[in-house]
Amino acid sequence: MKRNADIMKLPNIRLKVGIIIFLGIINVLLLASYFVLLHFAVRNVVVEGNKHYSAAEIRSMIMTGYFGDNSLYLSLKYKNKDIKDVPFVETMDVAVQSNDTIKITVYEKALAGYVEYLGRFMYFDNKGVVVEASKVITKGIPQITGITFDHVVLYEKLPVENEEIFQNILTITKLMNKYNVISDRIQFDKDFNVMLGYGGVKVNIGQLERLDEKLMVLPDILPALEGKKGVLHMANYTGDREDIIFIFISQI
């Protein structure tokens, strides 16, 4: 009888042992999860290359989902994967630098300028291809005026009469970036004379001859014109500062 009783107790002992092992595994998993959540919590985010979007906006695009603030999860989610289909952005790369630090590198689309069409701002690249349509003006990208077209199709070239205009825009924007004198407007007339806009100040560049020299002196001139409204005439600039005339209109 005693032997039979001992045999009957064995399943109960095995059940208890199984429960203990199961609870032990659960505890280990809970501790491991707590460690992962705490140790790999992202506290530092480095964002580079962003112009159109703020660092906070970029973070909100990347750090999504329940574990969106966990570097281990992000390293697995974005391993060998670029983030695409974001307006104004070619790709974004996510790199985990340490357990609590990630680096997001943004590669934005190369934009030469934008034109306004049917209440939208149509951004185009250096070849004149419209790459984005937006209701938002992007700082650092000039508005192009004086070019004519009768329609705009996304991902197609602007249908202008003379496509040489795009090479002119590329030349101007490259030099503006070189001398850090990015304008908010580039205006062309029918003879391709150029007028640059800096708030209330217009800079009459004229033809593109000596463009490098004309833009090179602007960093010394524009600060003195801040808060003023008028036209800075540089069309006949030959290298002599006396060739530059500012016609004052009013104080802004």
Side-chain angles (χ1 to χ4, degrees):
M1 292 290 293
K2 184 177 180 181
R3 184 179 178 184
N4 290 337
D6 290 341
I7 292 174
M8 292 177 65
K9 289 179 179 178
L10 285 175
N12 292 331
I13 294 173
R14 288 172 181 168
L15 178 61
K16 291 179 180 179
V17 171
I19 292 173
I20 292 171
I21 293 173
F22 176 75
L23 292 175
I25 292 173
I26 292 298
N27 285 330
V28 170
L29 290 176
L30 288 173
L31 287 172
S33 299
Y34 179 76
F35 173 78
V36 169
L37 290 173
L38 185 65
H39 185 68
F40 292 97
V42 176
R43 295 179 177 84
N44 305 300
V45 181
V46 180
V47 181
E48 292 184 350
N50 57 307
K51 292 182 180 178
H52 185 84
Y53 299 103
S54 67
E57 288 174 320
I58 295 295
R59 288 197 298 269
S60 67
M61 295 177 194
I62 299 299
M63 302 171 68
T64 60
Y66 186 72
F67 295 104
D69 61 349
N70 186 273
S71 63
L72 183 61
Y73 168 78
L74 293 173
S75 67
L76 296 173
K77 181 178 180 180
Y78 295 112
K79 184 178 182 180
N80 300 323
K81 178 184 176 184
D82 288 329
I83 298 89
K84 299 183 178 181
D85 300 324
V86 177
F88 298 100
V89 173
E90 197 70 43
T91 61
M92 285 192 286
D93 176 66
V94 181
V96 178
Q97 296 187 316
S98 65
N99 61 297
D100 65 349
T101 303
I102 66 170
K103 180 180 178 181
I104 305 171
T105 304
V106 182
Y107 300 93
E108 295 193 348
K109 292 177 180 177
L111 303 175
Y114 72 89
V115 294
E116 191 170 354
Y117 183 74
L118 298 179
R120 293 288 184 114
F121 305 116
M122 315 300 289
Y123 290 85
F124 58 89
D125 63 16
N126 294 333
K127 295 181 180 179
V129 176
V130 179
V131 296
E132 293 295 344
S134 175
K135 291 184 177 180
V136 179
I137 294 178
T138 300
K139 188 177 180 180
I141 307 296
Q143 180 182 14
I144 310 300
T145 62
I147 58 177
T148 57
F149 46 87
D150 56 8
H151 67 278
V152 177
V153 179
L154 198 59
Y155 308 124
E156 292 186 9
K157 186 173 287 189
L158 278 172
V160 298
E161 185 176 343
N162 189 345
E163 293 189 359
E164 184 183 342
I165 196 76
F166 299 124
Q167 183 58 47
N168 290 348
I169 293 170
L170 176 59
T171 300
I172 295 167
T173 54
K174 276 187 174 181
L175 288 174
M176 287 197 302
N177 277 289
K178 177 181 177 180
Y179 296 114
N180 195 27
V181 286
I182 305 298
S183 68
D184 46 50
R185 300 180 309 282
I186 301 176
Q187 178 181 336
F188 293 92
D189 67 12
K190 59 183 180 63
D191 297 317
F192 295 100
N193 291 302
V194 176
M195 182 86 74
L196 304 180
Y198 294 90
V201 174
K202 294 181 179 180
V203 180
N204 181 14
I205 295 295
Q207 294 293 310
L208 298 187
E209 287 84 2
R210 307 181 74 100
L211 180 63
D212 193 301
E213 296 176 54
K214 293 174 182 178
L215 296 185
M216 183 172 60
V217 300
L218 282 184
D220 297 329
I221 298 173
L222 290 176
L225 302 179
E226 189 173 349
K228 296 181 174 63
K229 187 175 182 181
V231 180
L232 186 68
H233 290 274
M234 301 184 69
N236 299 319
Y237 181 70
T238 61
D240 189 338
R241 292 290 182 99
E242 294 182 1
D243 295 331
I244 303 174
I245 300 172
F246 179 68
I247 299 179
F248 178 79
I249 297 176
S250 66
Q251 200 79 22
I252 295 177

